[in-house]
Structures are given as structure tokens and as C-alpha cells.
Amino acid sequence: MATTADRASQRTLTPAVVGAAAFVVICALISIAFVAARGGLALPLASPSAPVVAVASPSPAATANEPTASPSAAPSPGIPTSPPGPTPGGPTQPPTGATPTPKPDPLAALPGCPGHPGCYVYTVRRGDTLGRIADRYDLPYPLVLALNPELVDPSIIVIGQPIYLARDLFARLDPCPKRDACYLYVVQPGDRLSTIAGRYGLTMTAILELNPSIVDPNTIYSGQVIRLPDPTP
């Protein structure tokens, strides 16, 4: 009587089993040849949306000192941008047509010369010189000399001495009676006709024409009254 192992061996080696196995092998070979002819197996590629690798953010200490720039908004096309307004605290332009306030004349603070408008009296103080007085009141030095013909030596002035100041060269002189553009001058000690002419910007000829009584220009004397023409009538 056959054993169980003999029956199993006989069942395995039956023609049907051998045929089935051969069929499976043939199918496998056909599949392999087909795949090889198609270029091989196509393996799935990695997904384009691969997970992002986390990157360590900089420490707060490193970013604290880095300047942050805020993007400026670009103007929209077709929309005009308004010009920037005035900077607070910046210089302001005076209104158009405004007239500046005139600076007061410092001479107006001095007492006036009696009977002579535009003439003022300054009293010499300690440390004064004639040049400093002229600069203080914005006057040309020759003009101050012409207004003070009594000064024998302009470099010597004393405290309390009156000095006459004006903007007009003839401010201290009296006008000639019944004659325009003419002034009366009293000759001072040491005066010569040439020095008087130079002091007032005149020529000796112009002075002699107004003073026909002067026969010799070298014969004028102290206290004599002569006429002086105004060169700018």
C-alpha cells in the first residue's frame, strides 16, 4: 500500500502540473521580453511638491542690528503725484510783493542841530576816535571831516566834545538868501580856498564865480563868509 509521501510525489509530477509550470514560465519570459522591448519599467518619480527642509532662522541678536527697509509704494500709472509739502522748520519765502521793513537810521537817536534839519550832535565818549564814530554811524570819514571844519587835528578829540554828523555834506550850512543850490560857509582858521573846494567836492573856479568879491584866492581870512555852490542841485 503506497504511503502518503509517494502519493504526494506522484501528484506533483503529473503532466497537468508540469504543463501549468511550463505555461507560467513561458508567460514570464514573454512578459520580460515585452517590458524590455518597451524600454524597461518606469519607476515613479519624486513628487514636485517635495517637503521643504526647515532652515534655521537667524538669532534675534543677529537681526537686531540689521536695518529694515520698508518698500516705498510706487505711484499708480496715470495718477499724478502731489509735490512734497514744505519741510517743517525750513526757511519760508516772504510773500510776493512784500516790502521789507527799512532799518532805522542810528543818527535819529542823537539830538539834532538847532535850525539844521538832517544834522545831529554826537558827544565824544571815552575810547572814541573820529574813525570809530564814522564807522559806528555808517558814515564816510571824509564826510565827517567836512561836517566838522573846526577840528584842527582830526586825530585829537576829547571827552565831551561835540561832533556833528549827517548824511548830507551841506547839512550844517545855512542856505544862501534868494539863491537856490547855494550855501554859506564861514572860513575857519587855517582854511585855504583850495582846501575848502576839496572838502566839498568843488572847484576853485566854481567858488570864485559865486564870490566875485574875492580878488585874490589867497587872501581869505578866518570868519569870512563865502558862498559854496551845491554840485548836485
Side-chain angles (χ1 to χ4, degrees), residues 20-230:
F23 178 77
V24 171
V25 172
I26 292 171
C27 290
L29 292 175
I30 294 173
S31 298
I32 292 173
F34 179 80
V35 171
R38 291 286 184 173
L41 296 174
L43 297 176
L45 299 177
S47 174
S49 58
V52 179
V53 179
V55 181
S57 60
S59 61
T63 58
N65 297 327
E66 295 182 0
T68 58
S70 59
S72 58
S76 301
I79 300 178
T81 58
S82 59
T87 304
T92 57
Q93 297 293 334
T96 304
T99 303
T101 304
K103 185 179 179 181
D105 191 346
L107 290 177
L110 300 176
C113 305
H116 294 85
C119 174
Y120 302 90
V121 183
Y122 174 81
T123 303
V124 176
R125 299 177 293 184
R126 185 180 300 275
D128 276 343
T129 64
L130 204 63
R132 291 177 182 175
I133 296 172
D135 292 341
R136 186 179 306 154
Y137 291 94
D138 193 22
L139 296 171
Y141 184 75
L143 174 60
V144 178
L145 287 178
L147 291 169
N148 296 272
E150 305 90 351
L151 294 177
V152 179
D153 186 353
S155 64
I156 301 176
I157 56 177
V158 297
I159 298 175
Q161 179 180 355
I163 299 295
Y164 300 95
L165 305 176
R167 305 288 176 192
D168 183 8
L169 190 65
F170 299 94
R172 283 193 66 192
L173 304 182
D174 294 326
C176 300
K178 300 179 181 180
R179 189 178 185 95
D180 296 332
C182 174
Y183 297 93
L184 301 177
Y185 175 79
V186 179
V187 177
Q188 302 295 317
D191 273 347
R192 299 178 62 180
L193 201 62
S194 59
T195 58
I196 297 172
R199 185 181 300 152
Y200 290 95
L202 303 171
T203 63
M204 291 180 59
T205 302
I207 295 176
L208 291 174
E209 287 178 356
L210 282 180
N211 298 272
S213 59
I214 300 178
V215 179
D216 186 354
N218 298 319
T219 59
I220 62 174
Y221 54 89
S222 178
Q224 181 180 359
V225 178
I226 61 176
R227 297 177 179 181
L228 301 180
D230 187 348

